[in-house]
Amino acid sequence: MTDSKYFTTTKKGEIFELKAELNSDKKEKKKEAVKKVIASMTVGKDVSALFPDVVNCMQTDNLELKKLVYLYLMNYAKSQPDMAIMAVNTFVKDCEDPNPLIRALAVRTMGCIRVDKITEYLCEPLRKCLKDEDPYVRKTAAVCVAKLHDINAQLVEDQGFLDTLKDLISDSNPMVVANAVAALSEIAESHPNSNLMDLNPQTINKLLTALNECTEWGQIFILDCLANYTPRDDRESQSICERVTPRLSHANSAVVLSAVKVLMKFMEMLPKDLDYYGTLLKKLAPPLVTLLSAEPELQYVALRNINLIVQRRPEILKHEMKVFFVKYNDPIYVKLEKLDIMIRLASQANIAQVLAELKEYATEVDVDFVRKAVRAIGRCAIKVEQSAERCVSTLLDLIQTKVNYVVQEAIVVIKDIFRKYPNKYESVIATLCENLDSLDEPEARAAMIWIVGEYAERIDNADELLESFLEGFHDESTQVQLQLLTAIVKLFLKKPTETQELVQQVLSLATQDSDNPDLRDRGYIYWRLLSTDPVAAKEVVLAEKPLISEETDLIEPTLLEELICHIGTLASVYHKPPSAFVEGSRGVQHKRLPGSAGSGESESPDAGSAGGVSEAPPAVIPSQGDLLGDLLNLDLTPPTATGPPPPSSGMQMGAMDLLGGGLDSLMGDESEPPHIPPRTHTPQSPQLPHQSPSPPDYSPTELGGDLGGSPAMGSGFGGPPAAMPASFSAPVSGGLDDLFDLGGGVGMPMGAYSPPKTIWLPAMKAKGLEILGTFARRAGVIQMEMTLTNKAMSVMSDFAIQFNRNSFGLAPAGPLQVLTPLSPNQSIEVALPLNTVGPIMKMEPLNNLQVAVKNNIDVFYFSCQYPISMLFVEDGTMDRQVFLATWKDIPNDNEAQFQIKDCHLNSDAASNKLQGSNIFTIAKRTVEGQDMLYQSIKLTNGIWVLAELKVQAGNPNFMVSLKCRAPEVSQCVFQSYEAVLKN
Amino acid sequence: MIHSLFLINHTGDIFLEKHWKSVISRGVCDYFLEVKEKAVEPENVPPVLQTPHHYLISIYRDKLFFLSVIQTEVPPLFVIEFLHRVADTFQDYFGECSESIIKDNVVTVYELLEEMLDNGFPLATESNILKEMIKPPTILRSVVNTLTGSSNVGDKLPTGQLSNIPWRRAAVKYTNNEAYFDVIEEIDAILDKSGMTVFAEIQGVIEACTRLSGMPDLTLSFMNPRLLDDVSFHPCVRFKRWESERVLSFIPPDGNFTLMTYHVSSQNLVAIPVYVKQNISFFETGSCGRLDITIGPKQTMGKMVEGLMVTVHMPKAVLSVNLTASQGNYTYDLATKVLVWDIGKLNPQKPPNLRGTLSVQSGAPRPEENPALDIKLKIQQLAISGLKVNRLDMYGEKYKPFKGVKYMTKAGKFQVRT
């Protein structure tokens, strides 16, 4: 007899019959009845009507019956809260039972009953169970705290359960430790700033001890927790690595991957010349390979992570290419991932093998896979120069197969190869042209048109070919239309005599008959360019294109760093930072790899501050279709900015296009050229945060003059040139909209508070170099003002400066301008403009800045604290309505109150003074002789701080309440208030 | 952590759900079912899916989907490993893992799931411990239970759960004490058209069956441990001893378990036991093709190759086949286009051959893709990597156990491209 009998029903009505059985005197019958109820529940039938009858069965010695009733309770208590109270007494009693199994079961079940009334009764038993003598009960109770927190977080904090939970990390039993860690991690996820996991060397040591003895799941929790720790130095880092390495041989792949995460992160701190570093690298390869022999689902997750690992440290798997070869019966999701990694690992040494494989794959059945394989051949050609010729001939072979989608894909990648190796493989153009008619996908058509336009002078019938496309111009997709427009203009510039008619036709199609603004704008630009100055047009349109970069799809380094810290998580599967998609994580801490220490290279401030990612971000080729979108991404979300999205994106789109996108398209290429080094307009001006891809000889003002007309351009460039630096140095988060706020920014009073200079680096410590300094915000530019004094006997020269990562991404916007050598006893005043687009790391205190100054003698380090007021931006006035809504919206926990003593100002004077430092009063209210000023502040990274300042006439003590979504800044902001008001 | 679990059969019916936190409507599975529809083959459903409010992580095993729902950032491998553990447990308890057997034991299944996870945190996943808490159903036990009214839920705290050896229950007693070890190696290989090895590696596993009384402490040593550079161990193995002495020292769980898995990498030379000569071609004109496959022994180390079987996934256009096998039988499934040639033992003197014609749908274009051959084979008493167990010693107990080691080599993912 099996359980399936529980599913059979009788005609009389199931519920009725079950009710009778539940109330039976016979234990056996009761149990059978409860089982029937559970069975119905599992398949989604509603049996909640039996609640009182089932709860009646709870008082029993039979453990199985008790468990079954508990199962039922957990499911239905929520829908019958009043009835559920009936069960409380039994729970409380069971929590005192001599049998630990029953105590644990009771506390466990109570936690699962998500009814507020019951949770109140739960607190006392839970407190006892957390201190129970039996570890089994303690570890169950630890999890229960997490459950309770999920239901009522406030209650958990009020009852002090969090502290008890923290104590359990030092429990003698490893399982208890593991569960406490798991519970704390879960709680911490919903409280990102609560600093629940106070990791210090002592707790780390306890965790490492527990790691060896707890279950595999516990090991995962502990390893994930360890990964959040930042070791003090390389020695500690190495000792943790040594104790974690054995986990790489665990049978559970999740343990292995979590261990890999810890090692990948802590490795950053090890000096590269250390023997242990090499050993560790070698140890990482086998477990990663082993993950690939597991079930396909595990393989998939492993492959997504390996993809990150090979980007960060390609040396680990460089000899393991073969394990990524695709088997024909791999699931498609595994095949595609393997292909990706094969390309990443491709090098001159193994390219022959890889190409042979890729060619094999290109004849498989699955269309997606075949396409990707063809694309991969193109990527190999771009990555490994020596193989380019072979790749091209392989692609030609594939084109000969005439399989439609293979041909189209091949043409798309050949276009990229042309971009990388211009004037090398043009002999194949004839073969490509043969396949013109079979192309039906926009991307392939656009690629082909680009090729025809680019090499128009070598294709005899280029005009015929392009004309044939023109017939169905309106039916083409936008990317084909744009490409066709550009190609015909190129053709015209190359063969002006024969193609005049053609170019007029396409220009009129683009400007008059199209309602696509991109197309129209581009058409107009060409038109004016051609009619004004054909020579200039030629220079612009036929300008030499920068080569495309070899790594077309690398993850952006800061994101990669963050993802490496998240190996094994969902973030690593999606290759997105957790903040981008995890619901419920309100506010996210960005994890960063620790910088290396102790190694020889950290002597130079460069390596020290960049933490191993000093390589320039490689250029990314966006697909042609969303050039605009990519430009926007590129410009408006610099790697580390976490500010809110810019409010007026429509405006920016237009402006950006004219600034960069339009010109880029003008050049007639589909790909974003590599970043041109940012230009500086005046020696003082900081770097342009927007890296405009216009050709170097085209300054935006000239362009504005040429094209005129557009309102966005007018407002953007009509301002006095002196205003340019201010606008461009404006905060990252603001993007272009700051440009429009320019008027206000320039005219603002110069009264921003700047503290007096203090000694940052005494001559004693710096071989005679003394640095006094302060920070100031002048005309919207943050400046670091220093007095350098040479107190040594010899001449100092070759000054340079570098910042460590800091809370707000402050970085020098230009080199340190000490042009003449500093002779003994000479002083020099230097003002260094700063920007806020540097790498970010939270500092303690928040406004701490670590600086390295170099001269011909040595490198010196010092740290200083900047007044946070210099980060207050000029457009920090918040709308009143928004202010009200935001004030309400920010939880009260985030409110901080401070008292400013001995300030003899009236409220208006105070308001004026604060305004000078970009603290804007947006409303004032007088209640019973007390002035309430409501003020708003915006930081460079887009954080808003709202303040309420209470000023009572005759009382020199002001009260200030600060509310901010990032409460960490409150303390610093308060200090600024104090400093500004008292000076 | 893991929020809910849904069991779904291959036609897309949800037949069991379990929630460890609040109840999530089974409507969440619609996202999954939609992707499943699109994927055509159930194997191709991606294991991690994103929905507006949840993440769905699934595995496909024994024609069932185990679908878990999570809401917060959880390591996906952790979830996948756990789901496989659930499937393993069902297999272990009920002898198979199928929709009907799960439905037949739904209450036990529910009790098990409750015991395996608490608030989404794994609680007890070791089969030894679970069996102490919830006894597996047997016919005898259900008869006894009905007569005596006793239950199949243990009412004592499982002994192993908190000790340093959570995998072993206390007070094990056997009249016959025995310990058997099976060294099983699978060859994963890809051979190209000309028979050259593109890629080959060995996945090895040591399966153990120990029925030993008390707390035995075992030491297993190898003749050639240097072969093993990439290993994963059962938690019972003392890693330090392995690092320093290259011996496996452990207190075993009771019953069947996987002691270790290892991986002999593609950088070592891997012996390929058979050679395959094949020619599958389709004619440019006329609607037919030709097939000719011969298999012969290569590096068999003097052992007999058994259970030889060749599977070919023919292109869709192949309507029927007309072949002659010099040994064994062949079948061609018209619906799935799978040709299976069951050869049996390999005769080294007379290599088996299969040849004949393939008829292709008339008018259809010549098939582009070339079907790969999938080879299955078995060799008893041989570990193809050359791994050999040296000796097994037992400490801590007085009795003398029966000991045995068996070797076996199998083809894993062994493919020949054509």
Side-chain angles (χ1 to χ4, degrees):
Chain A
M1 198 59 162
T2 69
D3 290 354
S4 54
K5 68 179 181 237
Y6 301 130
F7 291 115
T8 55
T9 47
T10 57
K11 283 177 190 162
K12 263 182 166 179
E14 198 181 5
I15 301 285
F16 178 78
E17 197 161 279
L18 282 171
K19 206 175 182 89
E21 283 176 35
L22 284 169
N23 291 317
S24 154
D25 294 335
K26 284 186 192 147
K27 266 190 183 172
E28 199 47 37
K29 202 154 195 184
K30 259 188 186 175
K31 196 162 89 184
E32 287 299 295
V34 177
K35 281 193 176 179
K36 280 185 199 168
V37 173
I38 300 283
S40 309
M41 193 176 84
T42 57
V43 291
K45 275 187 206 164
D46 183 16
V47 283
S48 59
L50 295 167
F51 201 91
D53 308 281
V54 177
V55 173
N56 272 337
C57 303
M58 194 167 156
Q59 290 268 17
T60 171
D61 301 334
N62 185 313
L63 191 61
E64 186 179 17
L65 185 54
K66 193 178 261 289
K67 278 189 171 180
L68 291 171
V69 175
Y70 281 178
L71 277 177
Y72 179 89
L73 265 176
M74 285 184 231
N75 227 14
Y76 287 118
K78 184 101 187 162
S79 57
Q80 310 259 345
D82 295 327
M83 300 259 210
I85 297 283
M86 289 163 49
V88 164
N89 267 337
T90 321
F91 280 129
V92 175
K93 210 175 111 209
D94 280 356
C95 283
E96 311 264 327
D97 197 280
N99 184 343
L101 192 62
I102 295 193
R103 291 204 297 277
L105 188 64
V107 77
R108 190 171 127 202
T109 314
M110 274 180 95
C112 294
I113 297 180
R114 307 175 64 86
V115 176
D116 281 340
K117 283 183 195 158
I118 292 203
T119 40
E120 288 165 27
Y121 294 99
L122 176 60
C123 293
E124 275 324 298
L126 176 59
R127 199 186 313 282
K128 267 185 213 151
C129 288
L130 279 167
K131 305 237 154 89
D132 199 284
E133 52 174 20
D134 193 297
Y136 183 76
V137 181
R138 286 204 302 277
K139 85 171 188 160
T140 314
V143 175
C144 188
V145 175
K147 293 182 194 169
L148 195 58
H149 187 271
D150 192 32
I151 303 169
N152 189 341
Q154 196 58 44
L155 185 73
V156 171
E157 278 167 42
D158 295 347
Q159 297 278 335
F161 284 141
L162 291 183
D163 295 322
T164 323
L165 204 52
K166 281 187 215 165
D167 293 343
L168 286 183
I169 291 188
S170 317
D171 199 277
S172 57
N173 185 292
M175 275 318 299
V176 180
V177 177
N179 273 16
V181 169
L184 278 173
S185 309
E186 191 176 76
I187 294 172
E189 204 174 333
S190 56
H191 272 254
N193 300 319
S194 53
N195 200 18
L196 274 176
M197 300 296 277
D198 183 21
L199 296 175
N200 54 44
Q202 286 76 40
T203 44
I204 290 296
N205 205 20
K206 276 173 196 144
L207 291 181
L208 284 168
T209 314
L211 181 63
N212 287 329
E213 291 169 4
C214 67
T215 68
E216 48 198 311
W217 313 108
Q219 294 183 12
I220 300 171
F221 298 137
I222 292 180
L223 286 168
D224 284 346
C225 178
L226 276 178
N228 290 330
Y229 177 66
T230 309
R232 285 164 306 174
D233 51 26
D234 54 328
R235 208 166 303 156
E236 189 185 10
S237 183
Q238 178 175 350
S239 96
I240 295 175
C241 286
E242 276 166 359
R243 292 175 72 176
V244 168
T245 321
R247 299 299 124 210
L248 292 176
S249 299
H250 202 286
N252 186 318
S253 57
V255 176
V256 175
L257 203 57
S258 288
V260 169
K261 163 164 59 185
V262 175
L263 296 174
M264 281 295 287
K265 186 177 172 192
F266 289 11
M267 241 166 108
E268 297 288 333
M269 303 218 16
L270 299 178
K272 307 243 173 329
D273 45 2
L274 194 72
D275 284 347
Y276 182 71
Y277 179 81
T279 323
L280 199 55
L281 273 184
K282 278 201 202 94
K283 278 190 175 165
L284 278 170
L288 290 174
V289 171
T290 304
L291 289 179
L292 295 183
S293 53
E295 286 83 359
E297 300 94 2
L298 296 169
Q299 278 188 48
Y300 171 73
V301 178
L303 284 164
R304 291 295 284 172
N305 282 287
I306 288 173
N307 200 328
L308 297 174
I309 293 168
V310 296
Q311 285 186 62
R312 181 81 190 145
R313 301 205 173 276
E315 62 271 34
I316 294 178
L317 287 168
K318 67 178 173 201
H319 297 302
E320 302 290 348
M321 171 63 89
K322 283 185 173 178
V323 297
F324 299 102
F325 284 1
V326 172
K327 303 190 175 82
Y328 81 89
N329 48 4
D330 282 334
I332 179 74
Y333 56 83
V334 168
K335 283 184 178 174
L336 296 176
E337 291 306 319
K338 280 188 173 174
L339 206 51
D340 240 6
I341 295 171
M342 280 175 66
I343 301 161
R344 295 212 192 283
L345 290 177
S347 65
Q348 204 184 338
N350 56 26
I351 194 74
Q353 260 182 342
V354 174
L355 271 182
E357 282 294 305
L358 292 176
K359 201 176 170 186
E360 192 74 42
Y361 304 158
T363 61
E364 281 218 24
V365 200
D366 196 304
V367 178
D368 285 342
F369 180 57
V370 171
R371 281 174 179 275
K372 194 155 182 179
V374 175
R375 226 159 247 241
I377 297 174
R379 277 165 67 185
C380 284
I382 291 167
K383 188 165 181 212
V384 186
E385 187 164 0
Q386 293 80 358
S387 74
E389 194 154 350
R390 259 159 95 182
C391 294
V392 171
S393 74
T394 310
L395 287 168
L396 283 180
D397 286 352
L398 290 172
I399 289 178
Q400 299 304 348
T401 63
K402 303 275 175 199
V403 179
N404 190 275
Y405 54 86
V406 176
V407 174
Q408 310 214 37
E409 209 60 51
I411 286 183
V412 172
V413 300
I414 285 181
K415 175 212 68 189
D416 283 341
I417 295 177
F418 282 171
R419 281 294 314 273
K420 170 79 178 174
Y421 310 107
N423 305 321
K424 217 167 162 190
Y425 299 109
E426 280 69 41
S427 52
V428 308
I429 291 178
T431 324
L432 302 184
C433 289
E434 284 165 22
N435 292 286
L436 212 59
D437 300 331
S438 62
L439 307 180
D440 53 11
E441 291 163 20
E443 204 182 344
R445 287 172 81 87
M448 194 61 220
I449 293 170
W450 182 84
I451 293 173
V452 174
E454 187 66 19
Y455 296 100
E457 67 272 29
R458 306 191 198 185
I459 306 171
D460 296 335
N461 58 346
D463 47 344
E464 282 168 37
L465 293 176
L466 291 176
E467 200 169 0
S468 69
F469 280 105
L470 207 55
E471 279 157 22
F473 189 75
H474 289 295
D475 303 328
E476 300 283 4
S477 73
T478 311
Q479 62 169 322
V480 180
Q481 290 176 336
L482 285 169
Q483 220 37 259
L484 197 52
L485 172 61
T486 305
I488 291 179
V489 172
K490 281 187 198 164
L491 174 69
F492 171 69
L493 289 168
K494 289 175 180 176
K495 301 179 179 173
T497 45
E498 310 126 64
T499 55
Q500 200 144 14
E501 203 173 309
L502 195 60
V503 78
Q504 259 160 14
Q505 202 183 341
V506 76
L507 285 174
S508 86
L509 278 173
T511 53
Q512 284 158 29
D513 302 347
S514 167
D515 45 11
N516 180 326
D518 288 344
L519 186 64
R520 224 169 37 213
D521 288 356
R522 196 188 282 197
Y524 277 125
I525 291 177
Y526 281 141
W527 201 322
R528 291 187 189 171
L529 209 49
L530 290 174
S531 57
T532 328
D533 186 355
V535 180
K538 203 161 186 171
E539 259 173 53
V540 173
V541 178
L542 302 180
E544 199 170 316
K545 277 162 289 299
L547 297 183
I548 56 173
S549 136
E550 55 183 50
E551 287 292 349
T552 56
D553 54 351
L554 280 184
I555 296 178
E556 191 270 320
T558 29
L559 176 60
L560 181 61
E561 266 194 49
E562 189 177 354
L563 289 177
I564 289 286
C565 299
H566 287 283
I567 283 179
T569 65
L570 283 169
S572 70
V573 173
Y574 283 100
H575 291 186
K576 284 184 201 162
S579 52
F581 63 95
V582 175
E583 203 175 86
S585 60
R586 296 143 243 175
V588 169
Q589 290 164 314
H590 286 267
K591 294 188 187 173
R592 308 270 318 192
L593 291 173
S596 73
S599 66
E601 62 187 323
S602 75
E603 293 297 326
S604 86
D606 191 1
S609 64
V613 271
S614 47
E615 66 264 38
V620 178
I621 301 184
S623 62
Q624 303 127 310
D626 41 44
L627 187 61
L628 254 183
D630 277 309
L631 275 169
L632 278 174
N633 281 341
L634 231 142
D635 291 323
L636 298 179
T637 47
T640 44
T642 51
S648 59
S649 61
M651 284 279 265
Q652 287 163 15
M653 290 268 288
M656 273 324 290
D657 185 24
L658 281 162
L659 260 181
L663 263 185
D664 180 38
S665 349
L666 248 177
M667 290 163 63
D669 81 41
E670 298 104 329
S671 314
E672 159 80 8
H675 298 190
I676 291 160
R679 286 157 292 145
T680 43
H681 288 258
T682 61
Q684 284 273 303
S685 82
Q687 289 189 339
L688 281 161
H690 319 291
Q691 306 200 321
S692 144
S694 52
D697 57 339
Y698 249 74
S699 87
T701 31
E702 267 176 82
L703 186 77
D706 271 7
L707 294 179
S710 147
M713 300 289 294
S715 73
F717 298 107
M724 295 299 292
S727 79
F728 279 112
S729 74
V732 192
S733 58
L736 253 199
D737 53 341
D738 289 286
L739 204 93
F740 304 117
D741 283 340
L742 200 64
V746 179
M748 62 149 263
M750 304 298 263
Y753 162 71
S754 161
K757 281 187 181 170
T758 48
I759 293 194
W760 281 344
L761 186 68
M764 296 276 287
K765 282 192 180 167
K767 304 190 180 159
L769 176 68
E770 185 186 77
I771 300 181
L772 280 107
T774 184
F775 292 91
R777 187 179 181 91
R778 301 200 195 280
V781 182
I782 305 166
Q783 293 198 342
M784 185 165 168
E785 298 177 343
M786 288 176 286
T787 309
L788 310 181
T789 310
N790 183 354
K791 296 199 169 172
M793 303 304 282
S794 56
V795 175
M796 290 179 182
S797 61
D798 303 333
F799 284 94
I801 192 162
Q802 195 96 28
F803 294 174
N804 197 355
R805 284 183 277 193
N806 53 70
S807 315
F808 293 93
L810 281 173
L816 190 62
Q817 301 278 347
V818 185
L819 299 172
T820 46
L822 202 57
S823 35
N825 279 325
Q826 194 193 350
S827 284
I828 185 171
E829 302 278 336
V830 190
L832 177 71
L834 308 182
N835 62 26
T836 52
V837 295
I840 289 174
M841 183 172 71
K842 196 176 161 188
M843 299 297 293
E844 196 55 49
L846 207 63
N847 55 345
N848 196 15
L849 180 68
Q850 294 175 343
V851 183
V853 169
K854 194 188 81 148
N855 61 12
N856 58 332
I857 297 169
D858 203 347
V859 180
F860 312 105
Y861 302 92
F862 62 88
S863 66
C864 51
Q865 293 182 11
Y866 46 90
I868 202 166
S869 59
M870 69 174 198
L871 299 172
F872 299 167
V873 299
E874 283 70 26
D875 64 339
T877 323
M878 194 181 250
D879 182 77
R880 286 185 193 199
Q881 297 301 322
V882 180
F883 183 93
L884 264 176
T886 316
W887 184 274
K888 277 186 201 151
D889 195 39
I890 298 177
N892 284 330
D893 298 356
N894 289 8
E895 181 167 344
Q897 290 204 343
F898 304 95
Q899 196 178 35
I900 301 170
K901 286 186 176 154
D902 293 328
C903 185
H904 300 280
L905 292 168
N906 67 21
S907 60
D908 288 339
S911 167
N912 280 341
K913 214 160 188 183
L914 291 169
Q915 176 119 18
S917 294
N918 293 341
I919 300 172
F920 299 99
T921 305
I922 53 178
K924 181 179 165 183
R925 199 155 61 103
T926 310
V927 184
E928 295 163 9
Q930 186 168 250
D931 287 337
M932 319 271 263
L933 300 179
Y934 296 94
Q935 299 172 321
S936 70
I937 301 165
K938 188 181 168 194
L939 296 179
T940 47
N941 56 359
I943 293 179
W944 284 92
V945 183
L946 310 186
E948 182 194 64
L949 184 69
K950 286 184 200 161
V951 183
Q952 200 155 16
N955 184 352
N957 295 349
F958 292 6
M959 282 298 296
V960 58
S961 312
L962 298 174
K963 255 190 164 185
C964 178
R965 285 188 208 280
E968 305 93 314
V969 303
S970 297
Q971 181 66 35
C972 292
V973 172
F974 160 67
Q975 286 166 2
S976 293
Y977 260 90
E978 204 165 31
V980 171
L981 286 174
K982 290 190 177 174
N983 285 286
Chain B
M1 291 290 120
I2 300 172
H3 209 295
S4 303
L5 173 74
F6 294 94
L7 297 189
I8 303 173
N9 67 17
H10 65 282
T11 58
D13 301 326
I14 305 166
F15 65 92
L16 189 122
E17 58 184 279
K18 167 86 184 121
H19 308 277
W20 284 277
K21 293 186 169 182
S22 51
V23 176
I24 290 177
S25 147
R26 55 169 66 189
V28 74
C29 300
D30 293 348
Y31 295 99
F32 172 82
L33 295 173
E34 207 172 288
V35 175
K36 177 183 165 285
E37 277 311 306
K38 265 190 223 143
V40 190
E41 299 284 326
E43 289 85 1
N44 284 340
V45 181
V48 186
L49 295 175
Q50 189 176 7
T51 79
H53 301 287
H54 304 92
Y55 287 87
L56 306 178
I57 299 184
S58 62
I59 63 164
Y60 182 68
R61 259 188 61 167
D62 304 310
K63 301 215 165 117
L64 296 179
F65 288 103
F66 290 70
L67 175 78
S68 64
V69 182
I70 58 174
Q71 245 176 336
T72 48
E73 175 68 87
V74 180
L77 274 189
F78 164 98
V79 182
I80 295 173
E81 279 277 0
F82 178 79
L83 293 177
H84 277 293
R85 209 59 64 85
V86 171
D88 291 342
T89 308
F90 291 168
Q91 178 85 35
D92 190 29
Y93 262 72
F94 314 123
E96 64 170 281
C97 180
S98 66
E99 183 179 356
S100 62
I101 203 99
I102 290 172
K103 277 188 172 163
D104 283 351
N105 295 284
V106 68
V107 176
T108 314
V109 165
Y110 228 63
E111 286 171 342
L112 278 173
L113 290 175
E114 184 61 26
E115 213 52 66
M116 291 178 83
L117 216 57
D118 178 18
N119 192 38
F121 302 125
L123 196 58
T125 51
E126 288 287 337
S127 129
N128 267 283
I129 291 172
L130 282 171
K131 282 185 177 160
E132 267 185 81
M133 312 240 279
I134 300 159
K135 303 208 171 61
T138 58
I139 294 172
L140 181 66
R141 183 164 300 123
S142 65
V143 173
V144 172
N145 283 355
T146 343
L147 290 178
T148 60
S150 64
S151 77
N152 55 352
V153 170
D155 57 2
K156 283 209 195 65
L157 196 58
T159 43
Q161 186 140 13
L162 287 156
S163 68
N164 286 339
I165 36 172
W167 54 85
R168 188 175 178 87
R169 61 194 174 98
V172 185
K173 231 177 151 56
Y174 287 104
T175 40
N176 292 324
N177 289 293
E178 45 195 21
Y180 299 116
F181 295 88
D182 290 354
V183 179
I184 304 165
E185 296 192 339
E186 290 193 358
I187 307 171
D188 286 355
I190 303 175
L191 307 185
D192 71 3
K193 283 187 192 61
S194 56
M196 294 285 288
T197 310
V198 175
F199 156 82
E201 62 178 11
I202 296 169
Q203 308 289 350
V205 56
I206 302 185
E207 297 284 0
C209 173
T210 54
R211 301 173 183 284
L212 300 170
S213 313
M215 274 290 166
D217 197 334
L218 304 181
T219 306
L220 185 73
S221 62
F222 299 98
M223 306 275 266
N224 39 8
R226 284 204 318 169
L227 275 172
L228 304 172
D229 60 347
D230 182 3
V231 286
S232 321
F233 297 122
H234 188 276
C236 69
V237 176
R238 296 183 181 101
F239 190 74
K240 284 232 169 75
R241 295 251 342 241
W242 169 257
E243 285 273 272
S244 55
E245 300 166 51
R246 297 273 144 178
V247 296
L248 298 180
S249 157
F250 55 99
I251 296 174
D254 185 40
N256 295 316
F257 66 100
T258 303
L259 178 63
M260 72 180 277
T261 59
Y262 58 92
H263 173 249
V264 179
S265 75
S266 48
Q267 278 159 55
N268 295 24
L269 272 185
V270 174
I272 303 291
V274 292
Y275 70 81
V276 181
K277 277 191 197 151
Q278 44 71 33
N279 180 24
I280 301 177
S281 54
F282 298 97
F283 302 121
E284 216 40 93
T285 53
S287 48
C288 65
R290 179 170 289 160
L291 176 143
D292 190 337
I293 305 172
T294 310
I295 295 194
K298 204 169 164 190
Q299 292 156 293
T300 59
M301 321 288 169
K303 298 279 201 274
M304 175 72 86
V305 177
E306 305 169 24
L308 201 54
M309 195 187 305
V310 180
T311 311
V312 191
H313 287 262
M314 288 292 180
K316 292 271 176 288
V318 177
L319 285 182
S320 64
V321 298
N322 184 14
L323 308 169
T324 356
S326 72
Q327 187 189 337
N329 308 310
Y330 79 89
T331 54
Y332 182 63
D333 187 326
L334 294 174
T336 58
K337 312 282 180 194
V338 176
L339 171 71
V340 179
W341 178 25
D342 189 348
I343 303 167
K345 282 184 185 166
L346 178 68
N347 182 351
Q349 274 75 46
K350 222 176 113 231
N353 169 275
L354 179 73
R355 75 171 78 187
T357 54
L358 312 168
S359 53
V360 182
Q361 201 174 350
S362 60
R366 201 163 72 104
E368 290 297 337
E369 74 268 21
N370 283 321
L373 313 185
D374 204 22
I375 313 278
K376 289 273 165 257
L377 57 84
K378 247 193 279 188
I379 306 173
Q380 304 278 6
Q381 294 310 316
L382 172 74
I384 196 99
S385 69
L387 186 73
K388 275 214 156 66
V389 171
N390 185 21
R391 54 183 295 151
L392 176 74
D393 299 304
M394 191 180 78
Y395 306 93
E397 295 289 337
K398 296 249 150 46
Y399 56 84
K400 278 235 175 278
F402 293 105
K403 298 182 276 193
V405 177
K406 253 187 359 194
Y407 298 92
M408 156 118 85
T409 295
K410 291 199 262 187
K413 293 173 185 155
F414 194 112
Q415 303 180 352
V416 184
R417 290 178 179 158
T418 60

